[in-house]
Amino acid sequence: MKILNGGPALDLDEIALFPFDDRSLPFQKGVLLNLNSYQAGCGNTKVVLPVGDEGDPDSEHIAYYGTVTRVGNELWMWYLGQGPEPEEGPEGGTWFQRVCLATSTDGRTWTKPNLGLCEYRGNTDNNLIDLDGGTYHVAACVVIHDEEDPDPARRFKMAFEARKYKAQFAVAYSADGLTWTESPNNPVGPWLEMSGGTKIDGVFYMPGQGGKHIPGRGRQFATHISYDWENWSEASVLGLQRTNVHPRDPFAKDSGEQIHLGAGLWNRGNVVIGFYGMWNGHHSNDRRLTTMNLGMAVTQNGLHYYEPIPNFPIVSAAEDGWELPPMGHQTVNFPALIQGQGFENIGDETLFWYCPWPEQKSDGVRVATWERDRLGYFTATLGKPGSRIDESDPHVVSAPIDLGDADAALTLNVGGLSEWSNVTVEVLNERFEVIPGYDRGACHAPTESGFAEPVTWTGHDTISADGKIRLRLDYGGVRVEDTKLYAMYLNAQ
């Protein structure tokens, strides 16, 4: 199956149509987009990977500028740990982070395996991965488990920012995700601080801040690409910008609204979902006054991003702040969060891992949760009597979809259904004409809310059609405003 939504026309086994992806669900009438913000404070905060015991390589603080991805039946997390260091450290100074590993089956309970790979404080009883023996400071790393690579030694790929290379980004390869071999060509790219990456149609995309896109203005969302993980574009693409100060203002380094470390990415096939750092310097170069929620941006092509709702905090720092030395007679508490790369659907939940900004001495990695795939939803709006705006007959229509030679099963992620609120689905051709047998009168839509409720039509359990189709979903009932559409899923049969 392929969807023609402006991105590459990929062959997909599943197409997920989310309300916040208005390239895949572009035609809308009488509906309103809502996003679900996770409140990191307000009693929701839960540390799932705490700092280590005294003397461990992550005993002082953890920075989740790392990655969570599935490896077999487990989740693996590469993260950055800081432990006790000599006063002048291996590279001078006491800020020295190494890449550590943790594993989990449920995303909440994590184990730090004793890998025995790198010596730290006189022994190898630790969870350090072998990236040059853990002998230099790493500020950020992104890992991609590339099972399509024909070379087993390159199935795991890492991009990282290290002090050794003066923040220019470097790459490494591994067969098992534990012992890594660096590229002999490091550094392979410009200065880049990254928090995520993805592969689309054989091309690797690495967004971050820094690079060369806007001279003197580092915190912008710039993306470099590579076809082999080794040779990266020297130039970058500016995917998203939210600055409210002139990009070449030499005095605006930490001030204003900027984008922190690109975005952690979740590739869902027809859309890539990104969570980025919403840097707000409050028009000051005093980093103690910086706040950061996490925002949401999406892309179809890996280069150009847009915010479904501008400046919306998808993970809100809320009261999840940190205390600073008194300023005058007051103790200042400014919340700030950071993102790595890590999304996963487990059972009836969507999980995303994040961390407090490391400058506040993070106590560990935390997890934000939503009901499965319920980051956002459409509701029907109620028309006002006498209004010139026609809000009757609320519905949405998809971009053209080519089923190819496959039949497709349709399910809905939907809430709020009852005897007073319902939905129906019609299958249209590309010209918006109903395909016989798939009209709303023949539709058997779900009557109960759920995450994957099947839709069928009289005589048709699946969709079978020649040429391109569109899906049209209509809201109905006397309580039309109760229904929440979170996603529509097409699965090839």
Side-chain angles (χ1 to χ4, degrees), residues 251-399:
F251 303 104
K253 176 184 176 184
D254 289 333
S255 65
E257 296 177 351
Q258 301 174 58
I259 294 176
H260 187 240
L261 264 66
L265 303 180
W266 193 12
N267 192 334
R268 296 301 298 269
N270 55 292
V271 63
V272 178
I273 303 167
F275 284 5
Y276 73 89
M278 302 176 71
W279 177 285
N280 192 337
H282 294 285
H283 307 287
S284 167
N285 286 337
D286 190 339
R287 290 167 68 94
R288 297 178 303 171
L289 303 180
T290 298
T291 63
M292 271 189 287
N293 297 309
L294 302 182
M296 180 184 188
V298 299
T299 182
Q300 284 70 39
N301 62 12
L303 295 175
H304 301 104
Y305 291 74
Y306 64 94
E307 296 181 274
I309 299 178
N311 293 317
F312 183 90
I314 195 69
V315 181
S316 172
E319 286 86 13
D320 197 0
W322 50 297
E323 292 188 355
L324 297 167
M327 299 178 67
H329 299 289
Q330 295 181 339
T331 297
V332 183
N333 189 349
F334 285 91
L337 304 178
I338 62 171
Q339 79 283 358
Q341 175 143 304
F343 298 81
E344 191 74 22
N345 279 336
I346 300 177
D348 292 343
E349 289 189 307
T350 292
L351 281 69
F352 171 76
W353 293 269
Y354 71 99
C355 198
W357 199 19
E359 296 193 21
Q360 72 185 78
K361 293 290 185 183
S362 164
D363 55 357
V365 179
R366 307 170 185 196
V367 65
T369 62
W370 294 261
E371 292 183 287
R372 186 182 182 98
D373 272 353
R374 294 189 171 183
L375 300 175
Y377 57 94
F378 276 142
T379 53
T381 57
L382 295 176
K384 297 179 180 179
S387 171
R388 292 183 298 173
I389 301 175
D390 179 12
E391 293 179 319
S392 63
D393 190 27
H395 66 275
V396 295
V397 182
S398 75

Side-chain angles (χ1 to χ4, degrees), residues 383-425:
K384 297 179 180 179
S387 171
R388 292 183 298 173
I389 301 175
D390 179 12
E391 293 179 319
S392 63
D393 190 27
H395 66 275
V396 295
V397 182
S398 75
I401 298 168
D402 185 352
L403 298 181
D405 296 328
D407 291 353
L410 176 65
T411 56
L412 303 182
N413 189 336
V414 64
L417 297 182
S418 71
E419 59 182 305
W420 301 285
S421 57
N422 60 72
V423 294
T424 55
V425 180

Side-chain angles (χ1 to χ4, degrees), residues 31 53 61 64 79 93 98 119 155 174 191 201 204 228 271 305 310 331 336-337 339 377 431 460:
V31 294
D53 296 331
H61 81 86
Y64 182 56
Y79 68 95
R98 295 172 171 85
E119 183 174 328
R155 296 276 168 82
S174 175
W191 163 50
D201 199 19
F204 296 102
D228 59 5
V271 63
Y305 291 74
T331 297
L337 304 178
Q339 79 283 358
Y377 57 94
R431 298 171 64 89
H460 301 283

